[in-house]
Amino acid sequence: MDTTREQRQLRLSILVTFVVGVACVAVGLLMRSQAIAFDGFYSLVDVVLTGGSLLVSRLVSSEGSRRFQFGYWHLEPLMVVFNASVLTAICSYAAFTALHDLLTGGHEIAFGLGAAWAAVMGVVSMGMAYQMHRQSKLLGSVLVQLDARGWLIGGCISVAVLIGFALAAVIKGGTLDHWTRYIDSAILLLLVVVLLPLPLGSLWQALLEVLQLAPDALDQRVRSVMQAMVHERGYLDFTSYVAKMGRMRFIDIHILVDPSRPLGTMASIDEVRSEIAHRLGSDIRVEWLTIVFTGKREWM
């Protein structure tokens, strides 16, 4: 499988993410803004995670080795599990930091400058999220889709910071001025609560693939096709096993035939396999399809 375009998108994301991360951390520390610093730190961690995704993308495009004879497809969901776990840990730590700051009296920052910076970062992050999401659909890439989700989270952080800081700039100096000390930490805590389900959702889906739980839709499609084939061709029975790992689907079909029934030439047997593959809508680039004929049920 050619993953050149996928790798190009991930390299672009790494470059932009690194620049954004360094800038946000620097601005956040100068302004003593937890929300902006968190946005930058999140971006820098995402650089490392996206670099891991790029490595996995290169491995997936290779043909495997003597030790990994089925290829490197299993690394894709494992990478998603790792990414989602790290992002979940970051969000959890940010929530703890924000809660601690709220309980200890908050802090003052320059809200006007913070709002302007958040607006710029929001435009950049949302633009990258749209670009990566569009490319993930075109390429059918889980890794690019995961990266797009990371940019979306960063964009949401910037938008929330912009709204909160703009509100704080308006009320500063008025009757509600004493509440402005808590706005930065409150925004960060709200962001974590809203965004935490995103990495948790990715983590759950990837764990299903790591545990090799059979996808219901694929299992039903294979069973439906094989039930029709058994009925049409007079086979005795069949068993099927399916799993999904990253972008690769594994399908294993065993067909039980009468031991005394001649199957015909190898060419005719391959025609049956081709018909099954055609009905399944199989794509050799994303499926590992095995079809076995046997006259003994114990081999099923």
Side-chain angles (χ1 to χ4, degrees):
M1 181 181 294
D2 184 11
T3 60
T4 304
R5 292 176 59 191
E6 178 182 66
Q7 293 175 38
R8 188 183 306 121
Q9 293 301 317
L10 291 174
R11 281 193 292 268
L12 171 64
S13 180
I14 288 173
L15 176 61
V16 179
T17 303
F18 179 76
V19 173
V20 168
V22 170
C24 282
V25 169
V27 172
L29 292 177
L30 288 173
M31 295 180 55
R32 298 182 61 238
S33 169
Q34 290 180 330
I36 293 178
F38 169 72
D39 190 7
F41 182 68
Y42 174 94
S43 297
L44 290 178
V45 172
D46 197 42
V47 168
V48 179
L49 300 182
T50 306
S53 296
L54 178 59
L55 176 61
V56 170
S57 177
R58 290 176 177 172
L59 288 172
V60 164
S61 65
S62 64
E63 296 182 356
S65 64
R66 292 305 304 169
R67 284 191 171 274
F68 295 94
Q69 298 184 13
F70 286 91
Y72 299 95
W73 310 103
H74 61 290
L75 296 179
E76 199 167 21
L78 285 175
M79 191 65 204
V80 175
V81 168
F82 177 71
N83 284 14
S85 299
V86 172
L87 296 180
T88 299
I90 291 174
C91 289
S92 300
Y93 178 76
F96 172 79
T97 302
L99 188 59
H100 178 268
D101 194 65
L102 287 172
L103 295 175
T104 54
H107 59 276
E108 293 284 355
I109 66 170
F111 293 109
L113 180 59
W117 178 260
V120 173
M121 289 298 99
V123 171
V124 173
S125 297
M126 287 301 185
M128 285 296 296
Y130 172 76
Q131 166 69 9
M132 300 304 286
H133 176 71
R134 188 168 65 88
Q135 290 297 322
S136 73
K137 295 297 183 183
L138 292 174
L139 302 175
S141 170
V142 175
L143 297 177
V144 177
Q145 181 183 25
L146 181 67
D147 190 66
R149 181 167 295 182
W151 278 109
L152 177 61
I153 292 176
C156 290
I157 292 174
S158 296
V159 171
V161 171
L162 171 61
I163 294 173
F165 283 11
L167 177 62
V170 171
I171 67 175
K172 190 173 180 61
T175 57
L176 300 176
D177 182 76
H178 61 285
W179 290 108
T180 58
R181 298 180 56 84
Y182 300 97
I183 287 182
D184 184 42
S185 299
I187 291 172
L188 178 58
L189 185 60
L190 178 62
L191 286 171
V192 171
V193 172
V194 172
L195 298 177
L196 190 57
L198 290 178
L200 287 177
S202 296
L203 178 62
W204 174 250
Q205 291 300 320
L207 281 175
L208 294 181
E209 295 186 12
V210 171
L211 296 174
Q212 295 190 22
L213 270 68
D216 290 336
L218 179 60
D219 184 47
Q220 288 299 322
R221 188 178 73 182
V222 172
R223 292 181 65 82
S224 176
V225 167
M226 288 311 304
Q227 285 170 356
M229 287 292 294
V230 166
H231 176 74
E232 293 170 12
R233 293 185 172 269
Y235 299 137
L236 299 180
D237 200 0
F238 79 94
T239 56
S240 62
Y241 309 90
V242 301
K244 182 177 180 297
M245 214 168 267
R247 69 197 77 186
M248 177 63 82
R249 297 184 294 268
F250 292 84
I251 304 175
D252 192 11
I253 299 172
H254 293 236
I255 301 173
L256 182 64
V257 298
D258 189 334
S260 61
R261 171 183 173 177
L263 283 178
T265 64
M266 184 58 67
S268 63
I269 296 174
D270 284 340
E271 286 179 6
V272 175
R273 291 192 176 100
S274 296
E275 183 178 351
I276 293 173
H278 176 72
R279 293 192 185 189
L280 289 174
S282 294
D283 185 343
I284 193 64
R285 296 170 298 174
V286 293
E287 281 186 353
W288 191 292
L289 177 60
T290 303
I291 302 174
V292 178
F293 294 85
T294 181
K296 295 184 177 181
R297 188 173 292 274
E298 55 265 29
W299 285 102
M300 300 174 65

